[in-house]
């Protein structure tokens, strides 16, 4: 049997969240699935917790397709309510924990979320109080009639005893009576998750992902050679596809376990890698530097680490992880949120130099083209162009954004990535750079138009433009070129503080440079970003006080 000519060897092809979870429990029920802060869960425990989450959600009177926003740091409840919502035909909405007020208000409203699930106590941040500050109806008890800020929102659920006593809060921190598990979704092609991707437009877009997320996870695990004996140390955020799809689901689909941590701390990470006998880790460039600089680091203690998934295409960073950190099976890959995550990847056991030189081959059922972005014609091997993605993994579209969907997906189903790359004659993909105004900082997508729009609201800024440069620790870093208003003298610290109050911290440019004018094209007078990028590279290399540096 085959699908589109691809042999069906993946047991998760064409099945739903509920079917996937039950299949995993049948095969691996008593094995450990998750460890978090001293508590261990087997795969049978996972199934019970997810079913319990579904049963609780069913008490809220929700209809299939209703949206359930999850806004919390890494903790088991994130997983229970995500999987519990998705398996019963609801749509989980992942919210970045670093969002500022304007950002989270927009995403909760734009997604039509009817429920939001947050921690009840302040910790990483006070999610509950911040929601209350944004909506008087949440504080007063009028949420059931709707809120101008959150028009669709009807329920605010907390996972801990709440720090405030507001009528709109539903407390699910306590054990409750047995509730019946609701019917589960039966159509694997329906959206089950919305993940926001900054992309290159001013407002974030919610990519709708289907139950095919499990198929992708299993194939990704094959490239890592996973078995039930593997254990992943995971501290990257669950709200991103790296932590959720490429982390939890990839390892669980192979019966492997996950050691979950709320956030990265180098000493705690080293201790956990040793104590929990971890064989795999997801790494950002800054994590690699912190581990190597930690006085407790001794690569002999990490001899069990076999695989490292590194969110970088920089060969210097990958070599550092493989040779200095000692994670021999370092891999990278290529994918977008809109392509259900990973599309290409090298195998973990290929020669290191091959893994450093490309992002690997497409996963089964995933298609890659490199085309001329103007004509759509395929480029010859080794010729750069825009990467287009096809196959089952392409999202159905952006939620409630038909125009953006039409621009992103061709009439015959190809996803325009907005990335430049080339295909080698052997079929491996080499990612080069973003074609548009976007970059990745510390593993997060940054929409340049979004940041430029906020920067332009500063009273002392007449105009500004942002480009990115490679950065050894952050992956890429933003450089803001700013024209001050006449008679003003803003500095980088002032502008960074202004942006940080309105945007997630990862979106704030790392460097600020003040200029009298920006380079413009003749006639159309568009900003010549390529010239700014050249200037930015020169300024950062010189590093002689010409730029104000932010972290």
């Amino acid at each position: 049997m085959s699908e589109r000519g691809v042999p069906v060897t993946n047991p998760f092809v064409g099945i739903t969240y509920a079917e996937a979870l039950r299949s995993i429990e049948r095969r691996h029920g008593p094995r450990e699935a998750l460890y978090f802060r001293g508590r261990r869960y087997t795969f049978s425990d996972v199934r019970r917790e997810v079913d319990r989450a579904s049963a609780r959600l069913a008490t809220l009177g929700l209809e299939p397709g209703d949206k359930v926003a999850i806004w919390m740091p890494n903790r088991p409840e994130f997983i229970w309510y995500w999987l519990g919502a998705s398996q019963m035909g609801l749509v989980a909405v992942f919210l970045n924990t670093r969002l500022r007020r304007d950002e989270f208000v927009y995403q909760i409203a734009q997604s039509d979320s009817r429920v939001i699930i947050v921690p009840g106590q302040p910790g990483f941040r006070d999610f509950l109080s911040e929601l209350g500050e944004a909506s008087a109806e949440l504080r007063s008890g009028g949420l059931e009639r709707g809120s101008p800020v959150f028009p669709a929102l009807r329920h605010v659920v907390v996972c801990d005893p709440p720090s405030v006593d507001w009528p709109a809060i539903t407390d699910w921190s306590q054990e409750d009576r047995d509730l019946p598990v609701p019917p589960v979704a039966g159509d694997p092609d329906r959206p089950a998750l919305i993940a926001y991707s900054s992309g290159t437009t001013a407002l974030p877009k919610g990519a709708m992902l289907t139950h095919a997320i499990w198929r992708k996870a299993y194939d990704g695990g094959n490239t890592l050679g996973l078995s039930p004996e593997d254990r992943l140390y995971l501290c990257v955020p669950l709200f991103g596809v790296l932590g959720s799809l490429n982390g939890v689901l990839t390892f669980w689909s192979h019966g492997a376990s996950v050691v979950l941590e709320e956030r990265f701390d180098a000493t705690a990470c080293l201790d956990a890698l040793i104590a929990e006998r971890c064989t795999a880790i997801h790494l950002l460039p800054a994590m690699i530097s912190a581990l190597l600089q930690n006085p407790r680091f001794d690569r002999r203690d990490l001899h069990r680490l076999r695989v490292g998934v590194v969110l970088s295409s920089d060969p210097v960073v990958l070599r550092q992880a493989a040779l200095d950190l000692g994670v021999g099976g370092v891999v990278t890959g290529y994918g977008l949120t809109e392509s259900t995550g990973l599309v290409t990847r090298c195998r973990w056991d290929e020669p290191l130099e091959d893994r450093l030189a490309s992002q690997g081959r497409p996963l089964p059922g995933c298609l890659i083209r490199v085309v001329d972005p103007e004509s759509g014609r395929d480029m010859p091997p080794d010729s750069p162009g825009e990467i287009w993605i096809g196959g089952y993994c392409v999202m159905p579209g952006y939620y409630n954004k038909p125009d953006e969907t039409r621009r992103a997906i061709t009439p015959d189903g190809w996803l325009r990535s907005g990335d430049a790359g080339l295909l080698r004659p052997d079929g491996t993909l080499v990612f080069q750079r973003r074609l548009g105004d976007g970059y990745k900082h510390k593993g997060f997508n940054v929409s340049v138009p979004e940041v430029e729009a906020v920067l332009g609201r500063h009273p002392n800024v007449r105009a500004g433009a942002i480009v990115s440069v490679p950065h050894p620790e952050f992956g890429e870093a933003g450089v803001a070129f700013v024209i001050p208003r006449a008679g003003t003298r803003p500095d980088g610290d002032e502008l960074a503080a202004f942006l940080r109050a309105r945007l997630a911290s990862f979106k704030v440019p790392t460097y600020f440079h003040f200029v009298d004018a920006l380079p413009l094209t003749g006639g159309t007078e568009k900003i010549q970003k390529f010239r700014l990028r050249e200037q930015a590279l020169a300024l950062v290399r010189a590093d002689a006080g010409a730029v104000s540096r932010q972290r």
Side-chain angles (χ1 to χ4, degrees):
M1 180 179 178
S2 65
E3 179 180 328
R4 297 182 185 177
V6 179
V8 179
T9 58
N10 182 329
F12 295 90
V13 171
I15 70 174
T16 64
Y17 270 79
E19 292 168 328
L21 289 164
R22 287 167 187 168
S23 172
I24 292 170
E25 187 197 11
R26 283 195 301 270
R27 288 181 286 143
H28 307 291
R31 298 188 63 89
E32 184 177 305
L34 183 69
Y35 172 79
F36 181 77
R37 294 189 176 177
R39 182 161 184 185
R40 301 183 187 277
Y41 301 85
T42 67
F43 284 101
S44 293
D45 294 332
V46 167
R47 167 78 184 284
R48 282 191 291 272
E49 293 286 354
V50 171
D51 283 351
R52 181 166 169 258
S54 295
R56 283 179 153 178
L57 288 165
T59 66
L60 302 180
L62 304 173
E63 299 291 334
D66 279 349
K67 315 304 185 298
V68 177
I70 302 173
W71 197 29
M72 66 176 75
N74 288 1
R75 54 188 289 179
E77 291 87 350
F78 186 112
I79 302 172
W80 310 153
Y81 289 112
W82 156 35
L83 301 181
S86 294
Q87 78 164 356
M88 63 184 288
L90 304 175
V91 180
V93 179
F94 287 177
L95 299 181
N96 188 317
T97 56
R98 301 188 183 199
L99 297 179
R100 295 299 185 186
R101 177 168 170 166
D102 288 352
E103 297 169 307
F104 72 71
V105 165
Y106 170 78
Q107 292 186 18
I108 295 168
Q110 196 279 330
S111 64
D112 292 324
S113 289
R114 294 187 65 80
V115 182
I116 186 167
I117 305 176
V118 296
Q121 294 289 322
F124 171 76
R125 66 189 290 183
D126 194 344
F127 296 91
L128 191 56
S129 292
E130 291 187 48
L131 286 171
E133 290 170 4
S135 171
E137 291 75 16
L138 195 162
R139 302 191 304 271
S140 65
L143 199 60
E144 70 277 2
R145 296 186 297 275
S147 161
V149 180
F150 305 124
L153 193 65
R154 296 296 180 270
H155 305 278
V156 176
V157 173
V158 295
C159 299
D160 319 298
S163 58
V164 293
D165 184 19
W166 295 335
I169 294 173
T170 301
D171 182 2
W172 283 350
S173 65
Q174 304 300 318
E175 293 292 331
D176 52 14
R177 66 187 187 280
D178 289 337
L179 297 169
V181 179
V184 296
D187 184 355
D189 295 325
R190 298 289 298 172
L193 170 66
I194 290 176
Y196 277 87
S197 173
S198 292
T200 58
T201 61
L203 290 174
K205 305 181 293 292
M208 297 184 288
L209 306 181
T210 71
H211 299 249
I213 195 169
W214 287 94
R215 172 181 178 177
K216 178 67 73 66
Y218 184 83
D219 283 333
N222 283 337
T223 67
L224 304 179
L226 295 184
S227 79
E229 305 305 316
D230 281 300
R231 293 175 63 79
L232 170 68
Y233 180 82
L234 184 68
C235 65
V236 299
L238 288 170
F239 60 71
V241 294
L242 180 65
S244 53
L245 191 162
N246 294 327
V248 173
L249 298 196
T250 292
F251 280 71
W252 282 4
S253 67
H254 288 264
S257 60
V258 174
V259 176
L260 184 67
E261 184 54 72
E262 180 175 327
R263 58 196 309 183
F264 175 70
D265 174 83
T267 300
C269 175
L270 290 170
D271 290 344
L273 290 172
I274 297 167
E276 294 300 318
R277 306 169 69 87
C278 293
T279 63
I281 185 171
H282 283 6
L283 291 164
L284 305 179
M287 292 171 59
I288 298 171
S289 299
L291 289 171
L292 291 173
Q293 294 167 13
N294 190 281
R296 301 270 293 278
F297 172 72
D298 186 337
R299 58 176 293 172
R300 293 171 298 183
D301 294 334
L302 307 183
H303 65 277
R304 293 184 183 86
L305 273 182
R306 179 178 64 84
V307 168
V309 177
V310 182
L311 195 61
S312 174
S313 58
D314 185 345
V316 174
V317 173
L318 299 174
R319 199 182 302 276
Q320 187 180 41
L323 302 181
D324 299 338
L325 201 58
V327 187
V330 162
V331 297
T332 186
Y334 175 78
L336 310 172
T337 303
E338 293 88 339
S339 64
T340 319
L342 191 70
V343 178
T344 71
R345 180 183 274 164
C346 302
R347 279 192 56 86
W348 74 279
D349 52 359
E350 291 180 21
L352 176 61
E353 294 306 316
D354 291 347
R355 284 179 273 139
L356 299 180
S358 81
Q359 279 62 58
R361 293 175 175 79
L363 298 181
C366 298
L367 308 174
I368 288 286
R369 295 169 61 193
V370 172
V371 306
D372 181 319
E374 298 298 326
S375 68
R377 291 194 298 268
D378 289 284
M379 301 298 293
D382 288 329
S383 299
E386 183 182 11
I387 301 169
W388 284 16
I389 301 164
Y392 78 92
C393 62
V394 174
M395 66 171 181
Y398 295 117
Y399 182 71
N400 272 356
K401 287 187 178 288
D403 292 339
E404 289 84 345
T405 297
R406 282 191 291 271
R407 287 195 289 269
I409 302 175
T410 68
D412 54 349
W414 289 91
L415 173 66
R416 299 182 175 99
S417 72
D419 291 331
L422 58 86
L423 277 172
R424 291 188 169 151
D426 64 359
T428 59
L429 176 72
V430 178
F431 166 78
Q432 294 177 314
R433 58 180 174 82
R434 287 291 298 167
L435 282 171
D437 282 343
Y439 64 95
K440 277 197 172 184
H441 181 76
K442 297 183 179 180
F444 297 111
N445 288 322
V446 178
S447 167
V448 167
E450 178 188 15
V451 183
E452 287 177 339
V454 178
L455 178 65
R457 298 206 298 264
H458 190 284
N460 295 338
V461 172
R462 181 162 69 86
I466 299 170
V467 295
S468 65
V469 295
H471 193 284
E473 184 178 354
F474 305 149
E476 292 179 280
V479 181
F481 288 82
V482 179
I483 303 176
R485 289 195 182 277
T488 67
R489 297 176 60 87
D491 61 28
D493 290 337
E494 174 188 342
L495 298 184
F498 178 83
L499 293 174
R500 201 170 284 116
R502 293 160 176 80
L503 296 168
S505 59
F506 65 85
K507 299 179 183 179
V508 178
T510 304
Y511 306 97
F512 291 84
H513 181 58
F514 296 91
V515 295
D516 296 325
L518 297 170
L520 303 176
T521 59
T524 60
E525 294 193 342
K526 293 182 178 179
I527 298 173
Q528 294 178 311
K529 288 286 184 87
F530 72 96
R531 295 198 183 279
L532 289 183
R533 192 168 288 109
E534 292 171 355
Q535 293 179 38
L537 287 168
L539 287 166
V540 173
R541 288 192 189 111
D543 196 21
V547 286
S548 300
R549 293 186 297 279
Q550 306 293 324
R551 297 184 69 86

